Amino acid sequence: MDTFKSVTQYFGGSVHLITRFQFPLAIFTLVILGLSACSPSQTKKELIEPPAPMEFNDEIKTRQLITQVALGRENADLIVHNVTLLNVFTQEWQPQQDIVVAAGRIAWTGDSGQWPGTAIEEFDASGMWAVPGFGESHKHIESSYLTPEYEAALVIPQGNTWTVEGSHEVSNVVGTRNAEFWLAAEQAGSPLKIFPAIGSATPPTVYESGGGYYGYKEMHDFMQHDLRVVALGEVMDWSAVINADNGGHQRLWEMIQATYDNRGVVEGHGMNLHSQTDISAFAAAGLASDHEVRLAQEGIEKLRRGIFLEVKHAAFDTLLPKLIEMDLQDWSNISVTTDDRDVFATLQLGSMDYNIRSAIEQGVPTQIAYQLGSYNTARHFRIDHLVGSLAPGRYADIVLLSNPETVAIERVYASGLLAGIKKEYQLPIAKINYLSWATDTMKVGRTLTAEDFSLQAPSGKTSVEAAILQPFWFKPDFMTRTLPVSSNGTVDANPKEGLIKVAMVDRYHGTAAVSKMIWQNVGPKTSHSALASSQSHDLHNIWSMGNNDAAMALAANTVANMGGGWALVKEGKVVATVKLDIAGLMTSRPVQEVADEMEHLLQQADTMEWIGMPGLPERMRFAFLTAAPWKWQLVAPYEGNPGGLVDVTTGKTHPVIW
């Protein structure tokens, strides 16, 4: 400041009047005055010694190496010759291309025979098309029933080499170990790259508590833990987002802020948000995506407001033809994705290959369909420097096709390793020692009895009014029916009338607390039968559905004793189970073994009679998995709500019978 004053005094206190002829003199004077104002010791201090060379991390070391490989100065591990390569940047098929691979990355791409180096291994892919490894924009690996190392064996041969994991399932079980759980498989050598999107629904509502609680600190810590943590997973408690008096409002906005503070992506869940006002508010809140689009116009309106569409198969036939009809020029804000699909269904249908093939069948141009399954998602999550394209610097995730129109997969390379041939997995399964925090998660507290599932009527009543729900009930209020009270004072299931009993068992607090109510149009009709599972959105308490209290207790106890999974009881006996002993959601066992268990359960269900339809109702399974009904829900009992029936948008409670 003293130097500046001296200069202004030198020029008469009017620096702004300096002419262009005086300016060089002013600069010279500033320099001289500045130097004269410094003591010799101060000048010496400014001569800073350069720091010791830093140690580069693995990412930089890899890029240094592949730079030299690209120049032909270092050997490559692999060169794939003579492919027709899909360039997702220009949406063109480039014929006669080579792909050079080193250290699991692509080092060079270009015209065949032009790379100046040598490779340890070569593969002639003449007659094949090369596309980038497929990536899921929104998937719950938990729904496959497989832990990540076995999920790799299931989906990589189908072209799926990376997944953005919507982790609010396991998050409610393992809490702050969420990212640690998802990254362990890759650290142990699994070639499936997982990018966790941290579960916003932890807990799902303020009326539930389980194994985790995430606010600002937890979200911040997750994103600092590893750069592969890319997002806050599907913010779906819309009432909590927009209503400051909602108990979840503070927690959700803390997580949103923590995500922004760490330059992450905030994912949304826009079910039933159709109006332009709601969609605008959704986008204004910073919710950058939606995987719940059902209607074509809804999807268009969300797309127009900058929302990234993660389109599931159920919406393909309504939305995709409409986008083609409107001659959409830029598809970059759209992806195709799976969300939930179990191991048995995946073996039958496929994974991302099924989604891409279905998009092509709907008329989406082939080049764009592959972009919907790779590059668009990578850009959305800001990981396109790693995955989503066949370009230098990216992971060498290469899917070789004999026919791109039908997604006919011949070979799959994942991180430069030959991982799939003709949809058969080629690599060893990574060995992971799952610790007790992942395996010992069933804290029911005691053996359940038939009395735990008894629905007692108020004393002296011969009939009651009952709150009734059913799968995919989206109306604002529950239904009511007048039901008889049995001679022993209970309200029972009546499958002949389409009525079944549903219960929710607390698996976290050792209290064996049980809530129960009557549902309609779903459940077993075969006498003394029940079905139970530890997969229930999103807290994943044990649910049990049946027409007999003892059968419901047997099914729930079987699930608890296995450490989680599915149990089917027919005529008082357990006839099928699916063991999910990791977090009560997954199992670390071979793909076919788990698929066989699921197939056996379905086959046993086919021998039973069910309300409304033969066989195990898939809609019922997905109702529990996806929390439908959404507004009024049966949760485990909590203080002030022993019946467990609550409007999760307002916190209003109601008795299940009265």
Side-chain angles (χ1 to χ4, degrees):
M1 182 61 72
D2 292 338
T3 301
F4 179 75
K5 285 181 179 179
S6 66
V7 174
T8 56
Q9 291 168 359
Y10 183 86
F11 289 107
S14 301
V15 173
H16 62 283
L17 296 178
I18 299 174
T19 70
R20 62 188 177 93
F21 301 106
Q22 294 171 316
F23 187 76
L25 178 59
I27 295 299
F28 177 78
T29 304
L30 279 171
V31 172
I32 296 301
L33 290 172
L35 289 174
S36 64
C38 297
S39 67
S41 61
Q42 289 174 317
T43 304
K44 187 175 182 180
K45 285 181 180 178
E46 292 178 0
L47 301 176
I48 300 173
E49 293 292 330
M54 68 176 289
E55 178 69 23
F56 292 120
N57 62 22
D58 290 342
E59 175 69 15
I60 295 303
K61 289 177 180 177
T62 298
R63 290 187 179 273
Q64 289 174 330
L65 170 62
I66 63 175
T67 299
Q68 298 302 312
V69 174
L71 294 169
R73 296 174 179 174
E74 295 283 349
N75 286 344
D77 298 321
L78 168 70
I79 181 168
V80 178
H81 288 293
N82 302 318
V83 296
T84 299
L85 182 147
L86 176 63
N87 192 311
V88 295
F89 308 110
T90 59
Q91 293 180 8
E92 62 178 331
W93 293 104
Q94 295 179 267
Q96 295 297 300
Q97 298 291 292
D98 286 352
I99 305 171
V100 176
V101 176
R105 302 291 183 95
I106 296 174
W108 187 96
T109 59
D111 296 335
S112 293
Q114 296 302 305
W115 178 58
T118 57
I120 297 171
E121 181 183 351
E122 301 187 24
F123 178 73
D124 186 356
S126 297
M128 295 185 186
W129 285 258
V131 297
F134 311 147
E136 294 272 13
S137 57
H138 180 79
K139 184 178 183 181
H140 304 285
I141 291 174
E142 302 97 316
S143 297
S144 76
Y145 305 154
L146 302 173
T147 47
E149 71 276 23
Y150 284 99
E151 169 82 355
L154 174 67
V155 302
I156 285 180
Q158 299 171 331
N160 182 184
T161 59
W162 56 280
T163 294
V164 176
E165 157 63 32
S167 66
H168 67 223
E169 316 290 353
V170 79
S171 67
N172 277 291
V173 182
V174 303
T176 56
R177 294 185 180 272
N178 189 356
E180 178 184 350
F181 178 86
W182 290 116
L183 300 177
E186 190 178 348
Q187 291 166 352
S190 174
L192 179 67
K193 289 167 283 295
I194 297 176
F195 299 94
I198 300 301
S200 65
T202 312
T205 68
V206 296
Y207 318 108
E208 302 169 271
S209 64
Y213 176 91
Y214 297 165
Y216 181 91
K217 180 183 184 303
E218 291 77 12
M219 188 65 201
H220 173 78
D221 290 348
F222 281 131
M223 298 209 74
Q224 289 290 310
H225 177 77
D226 196 291
L227 290 175
R228 286 171 291 182
V229 178
V230 293
L232 174 61
E234 53 176 323
V235 176
M236 61 182 139
D237 192 347
W238 183 238
S239 177
V241 171
I242 62 175
N243 296 313
D245 59 350
N246 185 294
H249 184 80
Q250 176 73 23
R251 186 188 70 80
L252 276 179
W253 280 99
E254 283 184 14
M255 293 192 78
I256 291 171
Q257 179 173 322
T259 308
Y260 279 145
D261 286 352
N262 287 278
R263 299 191 178 187
V265 178
V266 178
E267 294 287 277
H269 177 116
M271 179 178 286
N272 295 328
L273 299 181
H274 301 150
S275 73
Q276 293 185 1
T277 296
D278 283 342
I279 294 170
S280 293
F282 184 90
L287 309 186
S289 71
D290 182 30
H291 59 275
E292 290 295 346
V293 169
R294 293 289 191 272
L295 307 175
Q297 193 59 38
E298 170 200 359
I300 292 168
E301 295 298 338
K302 287 176 177 175
L303 191 61
R304 285 171 173 165
R305 284 157 186 82
I307 296 169
F308 184 75
L309 302 184
E310 298 162 346
V311 186
K312 297 189 291 189
H313 193 270
F316 280 19
D317 60 352
T318 55
L319 178 60
L320 298 182
K322 189 68 176 179
L323 296 176
I324 295 168
E325 179 186 324
M326 65 183 287
D327 194 26
L328 182 67
Q329 295 298 301
D330 184 357
W331 291 74
S332 63
N333 223 29
I334 304 171
S335 69
V336 293
T337 199
T338 298
D339 200 352
D340 299 294
R341 191 176 296 156
D342 68 41
V343 57
F344 184 62
T346 303
L347 284 176
Q348 290 182 313
L349 299 174
S351 56
M352 279 294 290
D353 60 323
Y354 175 67
N355 300 336
I356 294 169
R357 185 181 306 111
S358 299
I360 294 171
E361 290 171 353
Q362 289 293 336
V364 175
T366 304
Q367 295 97 313
I368 291 175
Y370 286 103
Q371 185 174 314
L372 300 184
S374 56
Y375 181 55
N376 290 1
T377 294
R379 277 199 357 172
H380 173 69
F381 288 103
R382 305 166 192 168
I383 51 176
D384 50 307
H385 62 301
L386 298 175
V387 292
S389 63
L390 297 177
R394 281 69 171 181
Y395 279 98
D397 292 351
I398 307 164
V399 180
L400 296 180
L401 309 166
S402 57
N403 186 341
E405 299 296 326
T406 60
V407 198
I409 297 174
E410 298 296 322
R411 286 185 167 221
V412 178
Y413 292 89
S415 300
L417 300 175
L418 180 58
I421 298 178
K422 297 281 188 181
K423 296 197 175 181
E424 293 293 329
Y425 193 59
Q426 302 296 308
L427 298 175
I429 304 294
K431 301 296 183 184
I432 301 174
N433 179 28
Y434 287 101
L435 301 179
S436 60
W437 56 262
T439 60
D440 184 17
T441 65
M442 289 290 157
K443 310 293 184 183
V444 176
R446 61 176 173 82
T447 300
L448 297 160
T449 67
E451 287 71 27
D452 290 310
F453 296 88
S454 174
L455 189 54
Q456 291 290 138
S459 179
K461 288 266 192 175
T462 59
S463 65
V464 294
E465 295 301 305
I468 306 292
L469 290 173
Q470 68 180 29
F472 300 98
W473 182 257
F474 294 117
K475 294 184 179 180
D477 294 312
F478 51 77
M479 298 165 280
T480 61
R481 289 181 66 165
T482 301
L483 300 179
V485 176
S486 70
S487 58
N488 60 2
T490 61
V491 179
D492 300 325
N494 186 352
K496 291 183 180 180
E497 296 294 325
L499 300 176
I500 207 75
K501 189 180 290 183
V502 170
M504 196 67 67
V505 180
D506 187 319
R507 61 171 276 196
Y508 292 102
H509 301 102
T511 60
V514 182
S515 59
K516 52 265 182 182
M517 68 179 296
I518 301 296
W519 279 33
Q520 70 177 20
N521 299 330
V522 68
K525 292 178 72 175
T526 302
S527 66
H528 293 81
S529 297
L531 179 68
S533 176
S534 53
Q535 282 208 334
S536 60
H537 195 283
D538 272 314
L539 201 64
H540 300 289
N541 280 316
I542 299 172
W543 61 265
S544 186
M545 170 185 287
N547 54 38
N548 175 270
D549 294 344
M552 294 176 70
L554 176 58
N557 285 327
T558 302
V559 168
N561 293 335
M562 288 191 299
W566 290 80
L568 178 64
V569 173
K570 175 186 176 183
E571 297 176 338
K573 295 182 179 180
V574 177
V575 295
T577 60
V578 180
K579 184 177 181 180
L580 304 177
D581 52 335
I582 306 297
L585 299 168
M586 294 163 279
T587 185
S588 181
R589 292 184 289 137
V591 170
Q592 194 60 53
E593 181 180 327
V594 184
D596 288 345
E597 284 186 4
M598 195 68 218
E599 184 177 17
H600 178 66
L601 186 144
L602 295 173
Q603 289 173 343
Q604 287 296 316
D606 285 343
T607 69
M608 298 168 59
E609 192 176 2
W610 296 81
I611 295 170
M613 63 189 74
L616 182 65
E618 288 298 304
R619 282 176 59 81
M620 178 271 294
R621 289 177 60 205
F622 278 95
F624 280 101
L625 186 62
T626 60
W630 171 243
K631 189 174 181 183
W632 281 96
Q633 287 188 28
L634 184 69
V635 302
Y638 59 90
E639 187 176 354
N641 188 16
L645 186 61
V646 60
D647 180 342
V648 295
T649 67
T650 65
K652 182 180 178 181
T653 64
H654 201 283
V656 295
I657 55 173
W658 63 97

